[in-house]
Amino acid sequence: MPSNVDVIAESVNEDSSCFSKDVTIPIILPFDFVNGAGAIVVMPDDDRDILNKPNLRQWAANYIVGYCAFWNVEGCDWLRDSLSDIRNSVTSSAALKTAAHICARIAANIAVGREVKHFPRFYLCKNLE
């Protein structure tokens, strides 16, 4: 059982900027990608520069699309097709629910000491509804 099970889950939108580089617990960054959702976990020993990206939601969408294209990951077309909506700050209640589901599972896995994917890896899922 891990001794430190605190986790920060921060809603990521254009106004998010309350991250600290000195945080010593995992940070879960949930993303509303309109037609689906994603999450990036930043562990205490990871490079924290991601936390200072302007418009983190748009940066993450572009990063994940590029990652999927480079590694030929299937099933990411919906995210590429959502990029213009993300640039225009469109949100989706279905995507928010999907992001919450992803983050709950990640937090539960961290709490019981299971390994989770963390930056530069990520979680991605089409909307569950």
Side-chain angles (χ1 to χ4, degrees):
M1 180 68 77
S3 61
N4 184 355
V5 294
D6 293 331
V7 176
I8 294 175
E10 171 65 25
S11 174
V12 178
N13 58 40
E14 288 73 20
D15 299 324
S16 294
S17 63
C18 66
F19 304 116
S20 168
K21 285 192 161 194
D22 299 328
V23 174
T24 58
I25 58 177
I27 299 173
I28 303 171
L29 305 171
F31 298 101
D32 166 348
F33 288 147
V34 185
N35 295 308
I40 295 176
V41 178
V42 182
M43 299 301 259
D45 294 331
D46 290 342
D47 181 356
R48 299 268 169 147
D49 288 342
I50 184 179
L51 302 177
N52 296 319
K53 300 281 185 196
N55 197 344
L56 186 53
R57 179 182 181 225
Q58 186 173 332
W59 178 89
N62 287 315
Y63 167 77
I64 293 170
V65 165
Y67 182 102
C68 290
F70 182 83
W71 293 106
N72 295 316
V73 177
E74 293 185 22
C76 298
D77 293 345
W78 64 267
L79 179 56
R80 187 186 63 241
D81 296 342
S82 300
L83 288 176
S84 64
D85 284 340
I86 294 166
R87 274 192 297 277
N88 291 318
S89 301
V90 174
T91 61
S92 160
S93 61
L96 292 171
K97 289 176 186 175
T98 302
H101 177 81
I102 293 169
C103 290
R105 292 188 63 150
I106 294 168
N109 284 332
I110 290 170
V112 297
R114 290 189 186 120
E115 190 170 323
V116 297
K117 295 188 284 189
H118 57 94
F119 188 73
R121 296 170 64 206
F122 52 87
Y123 293 85
L124 187 65
C125 181
K126 286 179 76 171
N127 284 336
L128 299 174
E129 302 184 340

